[in-house]
């Protein structure tokens, strides 16, 4: 099974999986530890012109999300240039994407300092706002400072992702990383009567499996409109998620929050599972899967048939019966039965069935 991927015409990876910028890649030891799991590329935590004044507590986790108030690297750029990056360079065998932020002058200066250690750059615009003009100037200045690929990370508060991508392309950027964490969000602890985060006013940014549909939408909006490489990030926790992101148009993917929720060995588990899932869905390589969803769902579908229950597969768990908002499903003689006069053909039962025993009829 061929797991190799190309990101544009300058980058080729042994597999599509890499970490996203964040706490699991905050120094040389952590980056090299993740590299040992066989990832296709590595990414650094975002380096800026000074160390971040990180509030504490800065990270909380829920069932399917992380909320963080972590900011950028807690180490100054000098620590990266003098210590971390030389160690990484001497031991790392995979490509290294160095994440930098945030404003034009800072980024141009940092590129000059860290360029000998980088395969490519990822520029964060998380704190720059929604006006594309200063971001465009930053992209142009960064792309003119280096010959190496420059990716721009998309924040979800950018309301026109295709326009953002076109701006990046027009100003010499190589690709897009989509998306950053979503927010601001406010986690409230009832016992304390306030947010558990130490940030100003208790606000943070949410990531993890819960934001996957948002990330997929941004990838599809970009790749359906603009011919530019996209690295997908936001919500990945399984091999199937990786395939979904590539089908939506991503060339490769990043994952971080799920590894914080379920364990850092999740990277190697996904890489082990990926060939099996590719075989299940009939793919021998990832090149033919990329962008398969393009030009799909191009019209609104008003007429569908009624759901059909496969009683041999059904485990009688009752999820569909309890979930149905129209009370169209019930148990009779230990079987799930449908009352068509009540069924609205909404599709919820099919999506909720854990064993795929319910199929909609087109």
């Amino acid at each position: 099974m061929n797991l190799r991927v190309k990101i544009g015409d300058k980058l080729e990876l042994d597999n599509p999986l890499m970490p996203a910028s964040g706490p699991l890649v905050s120094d040389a030891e952590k980056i090299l530890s993740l590299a040992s799991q066989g990832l296709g590329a590595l990414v650094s935590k975002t380096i800026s012109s000074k160390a971040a004044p990180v509030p504490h507590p800065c990270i909380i986790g829920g069932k399917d999300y992380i909320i963080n108030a972590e900011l950028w690297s807690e180490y100054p750029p000098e620590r990266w240039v003098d210590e971390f990056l030389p160690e990484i360079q001497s031991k790392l065998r995979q490509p290294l994407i160095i994440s930098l932020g945030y404003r034009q002058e800072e980024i141009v200066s940092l590129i000059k300092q860290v360029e000998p250690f980088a395969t490519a750059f990822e520029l964060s615009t998380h704190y720059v706002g929604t006006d594309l003009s200063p971001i465009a100037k930053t992209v142009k200045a960064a792309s003119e400072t280096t010959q190496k690929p420059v990716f721009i990370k998309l924040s979800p508060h950018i309301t026109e992702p295709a326009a953002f991508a076109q701006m990046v392309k027009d100003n010499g950027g190589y690709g897009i990383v989509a998306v950053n964490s979503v927010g601001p969000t406010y986690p409230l602890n009832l016992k304390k009567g306030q947010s558990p985060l130490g940030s100003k006013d208790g606000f943070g940014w949410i990531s993890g499996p819960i934001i996957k549909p948002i990330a997929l939408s941004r990838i599809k909006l970009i790749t359906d409109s603009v011919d530019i490489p996209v690295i997908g990030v936001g919500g990945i926790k399984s091999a199937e998620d990786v395939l979904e992101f590539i089908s939506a148009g991503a060339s490769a993917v990043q994952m971080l929050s799920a590894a914080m929720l379920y364990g850092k060995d999740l990277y190697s588990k996904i890489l082990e599972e990926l060939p099996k899932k590719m075989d299940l869905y009939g793919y021998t390589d990832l090149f033919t899967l990329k962008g398969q969803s393009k030009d799909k769902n191009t019209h609104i579908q008003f007429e569908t048939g009624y759901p059909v229950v496969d009683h041999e597969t059904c485990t009688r768990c009752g999820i569909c019966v309890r979930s149905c908002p129209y009370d169209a499903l019930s148990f009779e003689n230990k079987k799930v039965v449908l009352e068509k006069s009540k069924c609205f053909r909404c599709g919820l039962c099919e999506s909720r069935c854990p064993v795929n025993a319910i199929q909609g009829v087109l």
Side-chain angles (χ1 to χ4, degrees):
M1 199 69 70
N2 182 9
L3 299 184
R4 293 187 69 81
V5 294
K6 291 181 179 179
I7 310 175
D9 56 4
K10 292 184 179 180
L11 289 177
E12 186 166 355
L13 311 183
D14 287 341
N15 65 71
L17 185 60
M18 61 186 91
S21 180
L24 297 185
V25 287
S26 59
D27 57 35
E29 181 181 2
K30 293 182 180 67
I31 288 174
L32 292 170
S33 176
L34 291 189
S36 68
Q37 296 193 49
L39 297 174
L42 279 298
V43 181
S44 76
K45 194 171 185 180
T46 302
I47 306 165
S48 195
S49 57
K50 60 181 180 181
V54 181
H56 297 280
C58 56
I59 304 173
I60 63 171
K63 180 181 178 181
D64 55 1
Y65 65 86
I66 291 282
I67 298 179
N68 85 89
E70 231 211 350
L71 306 176
W72 56 94
S73 175
E74 60 270 32
Y75 299 109
E78 296 79 16
R79 186 83 181 269
W80 283 91
V81 172
D82 296 337
E83 181 183 339
F84 297 152
L85 291 174
E87 182 180 357
I88 293 167
Q89 186 180 57
S90 69
K91 298 176 181 178
L92 186 66
R93 297 295 172 259
Q94 297 101 314
L96 175 65
I97 300 174
I98 297 181
S99 176
L100 302 174
Y102 287 89
R103 302 188 183 277
Q104 180 178 334
E105 296 78 12
E106 294 174 301
I107 287 173
V108 169
S109 174
L110 288 166
I111 287 176
K112 293 175 181 178
Q113 296 177 59
V114 304
E115 186 172 30
F117 308 102
T119 307
F121 296 98
E122 175 183 302
L123 309 186
S124 177
T125 60
H126 206 51
Y127 305 107
V128 180
T130 58
D131 184 357
L132 298 189
S133 298
I135 301 175
K137 293 177 182 177
T138 300
V139 175
K140 183 175 176 61
S143 300
E144 290 175 348
T145 303
T146 179
Q147 296 298 309
K148 296 179 178 179
V150 175
F151 293 87
I152 315 300
K153 195 165 188 177
L154 174 71
S155 292
H157 58 258
I158 300 293
T159 57
E160 298 291 340
F164 180 92
Q166 189 63 56
M167 174 274 295
V168 169
K169 185 175 181 178
D170 291 344
N171 285 276
Y174 183 86
I176 305 290
V177 177
V179 292
N180 214 326
S181 50
V182 177
T185 55
Y186 185 77
L188 189 129
N189 184 304
L190 280 177
K191 289 184 178 179
K192 295 182 178 181
Q194 64 182 60
S195 167
L197 291 173
S199 56
K200 186 178 187 303
D201 298 325
F203 287 97
W205 298 84
I206 194 166
S207 58
I210 199 169
I211 75 164
K212 186 178 81 166
I214 297 174
L216 285 170
S217 76
R218 301 307 190 266
I219 292 164
K220 186 159 174 57
L221 286 167
I222 291 170
T223 56
D224 279 358
S225 305
V226 184
D227 183 17
I228 190 170
V230 176
I231 297 174
V233 58
I236 290 172
K237 68 173 182 179
S238 68
E240 284 193 336
D241 291 336
V242 174
L243 298 181
E244 287 180 18
F245 273 68
I246 293 174
S247 179
S251 298
V253 298
Q254 297 178 354
M255 178 186 77
L256 194 85
S257 295
M260 296 169 66
L261 290 171
Y262 311 122
K264 293 185 283 292
D265 62 343
L266 184 59
Y267 292 102
S268 57
K269 290 178 179 177
I270 288 176
L271 290 174
E272 181 181 355
E273 189 72 13
L274 199 52
K276 302 172 188 175
K277 292 299 181 181
M278 289 170 63
D279 184 58
L280 177 65
Y281 291 101
Y283 292 97
T284 57
D285 62 69
L286 296 173
F287 299 107
T288 53
L289 172 64
K290 184 186 170 190
Q292 285 290 303
S293 70
K294 186 176 177 62
D295 299 325
K296 305 284 179 66
N297 300 103
T298 56
H299 64 281
I300 299 175
Q301 185 171 295
F302 290 102
E303 294 300 327
T304 62
Y306 292 94
V308 175
V309 180
D310 180 348
H311 297 294
E312 295 297 322
T313 304
C314 177
T315 61
R316 301 165 186 81
C317 66
I319 291 175
C320 61
V321 175
R322 293 192 299 272
S323 296
C324 180
Y326 302 98
D327 296 324
L329 294 171
S330 61
F331 279 112
E332 290 184 15
N333 299 320
K334 298 182 179 180
K335 288 184 177 182
V336 175
V337 296
L338 172 72
E339 188 174 341
K340 288 185 178 181
S341 62
K342 291 183 176 181
C343 179
F344 197 65
R345 296 169 294 168
C346 68
L348 178 61
C349 59
E350 181 181 0
S351 65
R352 291 287 288 135
C353 181
V355 294
N356 298 315
I358 302 177
Q359 298 297 318
V361 180
L362 298 179

